[in-house]
Amino acid sequence: MIYREHYIKPVRDFYESDLIKIITGIRRCGKSVILEQIMQEIGKKTDNIIYLNFEDRRISANITDENSLISYVENHRKSGKCYLFFDEVQTLDGWQNACKTLRLYDYSLFITGSNSKLLSSEFTKELSGRYVAFRIRPFVYKEIAEYAAELGKEVSVTDYLVWGGFPKRFEFDNPTAQRIYLNDLDDTIIINDLMHRYKIRKENLFKKLVNYVLRSNSRIFSAKSIHDYIKKEHEPCSVNTIMKYLDYLEEAYIIESVRQYSAKEKKTLSYYVKIYDADVSFNSLRCLDNRFDLTHNLENIVYLELIYMGYDIQVYNNGGKEIDFLARCGNKNYFIQVAYSVADDKAYTREFAAFKNIDNLSQKILITNDDIDYSTSTVRHIQLKDFLLMDHL
């Protein structure tokens, strides 16, 4: 497995801290691998390390509550600073109390937890003021290319646009096997995890909403517009229920919402959001007859790549014309339009018109899958294949 320095670097500053280090993110994005890589790095300077994987039956059968966990650690530690690594710790009753206790006694504690049981709202509540959280995501294209080379494979940009970046899928040579894996992962994350966790009784309503939202990525929504669609599908529901279900999906890292900034009102509009899938495979799995939505998946991919690069993202309402992204980093602003192609005259005119009245102090960027350079004196065109290998804009 590739070494994911991008995610390990910010954790490194907290290796000696008594704050609980939480590695979080959607299921199967590579949290356990990150934990192991941190452990290997710390292991170069000390052997005073205890690793426990609570998905291992041998561990969970013998360490069953907070007291037995504390006793185990105390009996197996060596003198001096001890580094604790707990994988999927949320399966243990009283894990919160054990972690809060251990951090007080010369331990440095690292934990991971499944998105279904260790959500952001939970560790905020249970470990308030005692933790730092680091979110891990599925592979971006640079990581895919590196991992594919390690496996002796090549992965095309189109493959990424359709099937996304969940690391495990690249271990399967057969596209059918990859799809079976992603289908099972989708069922586990959405059906098994969320429906079981939140005891959702309106199963049909929840599934309709999930399918609608995940196949409608890279679009502006309001809770009311989703409610109106579901209602039209003859499924009675309330706006509050829709909002609650959307919160479940976002809290479990399945979707991400980006707020719209209005140039006219000079403020962020709280009632409209653009929704992106955590991985574009969630969209593609819901497409019939291989009619994949490459246009919206491309925008979704650009969003994920910009987040990876470290940009703060908003959707920009330019006097009624939407600019896909206002990306900020430090004091630099980038206005970014995304299109699959602008070879067609109408598409070219539409995409470039979105930048009207944007001053030239901010960089204006168009990202497409075209091979021809469409840059102008005021708009920089970046071909997707080049953008995916960039570290910054």
Side-chain angles (χ1 to χ4, degrees), residues 81-270:
K81 186 89 166 186
C82 183
Y83 300 83
L84 306 178
F85 295 86
F86 298 157
D87 204 357
E88 299 295 340
V89 69
Q90 80 289 335
T91 60
L92 180 77
D93 289 337
W95 67 268
Q96 312 94 319
N97 295 327
C99 290
K100 286 189 286 189
T101 298
L102 288 167
R103 67 176 286 271
L104 300 175
Y105 296 99
D106 206 19
Y107 292 101
S108 182
L109 178 58
F110 302 78
I111 67 174
T112 73
S114 166
N115 61 289
S116 67
K117 294 180 180 175
L118 187 62
L119 303 175
S120 57
S121 63
E122 286 190 326
F123 56 71
T124 300
K125 176 183 175 183
E126 302 289 353
L127 303 174
S128 179
R130 303 177 181 91
Y131 74 92
V132 283
F134 303 92
R135 179 169 175 184
I136 312 302
R137 298 169 184 270
F139 283 163
V140 294
Y141 189 69
K142 288 185 286 291
E143 293 178 304
I144 292 172
E146 184 180 353
Y147 189 42
E150 188 177 285
L151 297 173
K153 301 179 180 181
E154 289 186 7
V155 177
S156 69
V157 171
T158 300
D159 177 89
Y160 177 41
L161 287 177
V162 176
W163 298 118
F166 277 114
K168 185 74 175 177
R169 82 169 179 90
F170 301 103
E171 298 176 14
F172 301 101
D173 294 327
N174 189 317
T176 301
Q178 289 193 24
R179 190 161 187 161
I180 290 171
Y181 167 73
L182 290 171
N183 263 309
D184 289 345
L185 181 59
D186 187 285
D187 285 343
T188 299
I189 292 172
I190 293 165
I191 306 303
N192 297 350
D193 284 355
L194 290 188
M195 292 189 67
H196 175 73
R197 172 182 179 77
Y198 291 110
K199 299 179 174 59
I200 295 172
R201 295 190 301 273
K202 297 181 178 180
E203 183 174 331
N204 288 334
L205 170 62
F206 184 70
K207 287 181 178 179
K208 280 186 179 179
L209 178 138
V210 169
N211 288 332
Y212 176 61
V213 169
L214 292 182
R215 71 169 181 259
S216 303
N217 55 332
S218 308
R219 295 168 174 87
I220 293 283
F221 285 111
S222 68
K224 185 179 184 304
S225 67
I226 297 174
H227 166 267
D228 291 345
Y229 169 81
I230 299 295
K231 188 176 180 181
K232 192 183 297 183
E233 293 289 298
H234 311 293
E235 194 73 44
C237 62
S238 68
V239 173
N240 285 340
T241 298
I242 298 299
M243 293 176 67
K244 181 171 65 175
Y245 287 171
L246 289 173
D247 284 344
Y248 292 166
L249 291 171
E250 189 153 15
E251 203 169 45
Y253 308 115
I254 295 166
I255 62 171
E256 301 180 32
S257 62
V258 179
R259 300 209 175 276
Q260 187 179 44
Y261 182 85
S262 171
K264 183 177 180 180
E265 300 182 42
K266 299 188 183 304
K267 66 178 183 180
T268 300
L269 305 179
S270 59

Side-chain angles (χ1 to χ4, degrees), residues 292-345:
F292 301 119
D293 188 357
L294 296 181
T295 298
H296 289 98
N297 278 4
L298 191 153
E299 182 181 330
N300 202 135
I301 288 292
V302 170
Y303 166 78
L304 295 173
E305 296 274 345
L306 288 170
I307 291 293
Y308 182 87
M309 291 179 190
Y311 292 95
D312 294 322
I313 303 296
Q314 286 181 303
V315 180
Y316 193 78
N317 185 330
N318 185 23
K321 285 184 169 46
E322 178 194 313
I323 294 180
D324 293 321
F325 302 115
L326 168 56
R328 291 188 171 106
C329 186
N331 60 355
K332 293 184 178 180
N333 292 335
Y334 301 88
F335 292 90
I336 303 170
Q337 275 293 91
V338 181
Y340 192 80
S341 173
V342 291
D344 177 79
D345 287 342

Side-chain angles (χ1 to χ4, degrees), residues 59-76:
I59 302 299
S60 59
N62 291 284
I63 302 176
T64 57
D65 56 29
E66 59 187 279
N67 292 325
S68 57
L69 173 58
I70 293 172
S71 295
Y72 180 91
V73 168
E74 289 292 305
N75 291 331
H76 288 80

